[in-house]
Amino acid sequence: IDILFKDIPLNKFGKDISEMGLIKYKFCKFWEVEREIKINGNANCILVFNQTIILISIGDTLQLYNNENNMNILTFHIHSHDIKDLLKINENIFISSSKDKTIKFTKLEENYSKFTVIKSIEIHQEEINQTIKLRKENLFASCSNDNSIKIWQFDFSDDKNNVIVNNSSYHDTKILSICELPNSNIISISEEGFLIFWEYHDNIFEKETILKGFKNSLHNCIFLFKENIIL
């Protein structure tokens, strides 16, 4: 009985049997919608700044929303094609990866009412699916439909804004998602469902283990849950 009713179904019946006490069991609480934000189009990515400012990507458009005041602050464009991924660097700077083959560093300014593109990076031949920040200072990794993972350096506090590509690794097909492990190795997942573990040797990532069977993989779909567990 402890595992029979683990969660409440997300429907009216599930709420009724819990609230009426028809089953004497401590259910996990069901989720309640606190606020619904109306947007035009499909939201691909979401970031939160300072606990109240929400950045939403809709196609090639970015929309800033103040959850505390329940109002849109700013709508702007920095890419010529759909945005595939957003990554928060700090409370004012974020990275966007796009179908237009660029990665952009953008700074939000003047209480989130203005923005400045710090750097636009073009190191892939096809659309970019995800960019992650690696543990090593100023080191990043990005994956693309050009079948590659690029490891590169960028210091946005440096006036020169130079980008240095350290090395590249390749799948046989499009790479949809990447994740860094605590030992500095990288995991990637391809469009065809291959999960590959890349081991770091002499400043180069080499294929070590390949697992097959991840059907219908999504973009940005790998998450480090615990030190030795990934979702």
Side-chain angles (χ1 to χ4, degrees), residues 199-210:
E199 200 161 310
Y200 190 72
H201 295 292
D202 299 325
N203 204 33
I204 297 175
F205 286 92
E206 299 177 350
K207 291 181 184 178
E208 291 295 326
T209 307
I210 302 176

Side-chain angles (χ1 to χ4, degrees), residues 130-136 139-143 148-152 166-171 175 177-189 194-201 203-210 222 224 230:
Q130 188 180 8
T131 301
I132 62 173
K133 176 70 181 73
L134 301 179
R135 288 175 180 82
K136 188 176 179 181
L139 202 62
F140 297 84
S142 53
C143 62
S148 76
I149 299 171
K150 303 283 187 182
I151 311 297
W152 46 278
N166 286 20
N167 58 74
S168 303
S169 303
Y170 293 89
H171 268 270
I175 304 174
S177 186
I178 50 178
C179 179
E180 185 184 23
L181 298 176
N183 59 5
S184 296
N185 292 341
I186 287 178
I187 303 176
S188 63
I189 194 164
F194 287 99
L195 188 70
I196 297 182
F197 291 77
W198 304 84
E199 200 161 310
Y200 190 72
H201 295 292
N203 204 33
I204 297 175
F205 286 92
E206 299 177 350
K207 291 181 184 178
E208 291 295 326
T209 307
I210 302 176
I222 310 175
L224 185 64
I230 60 169

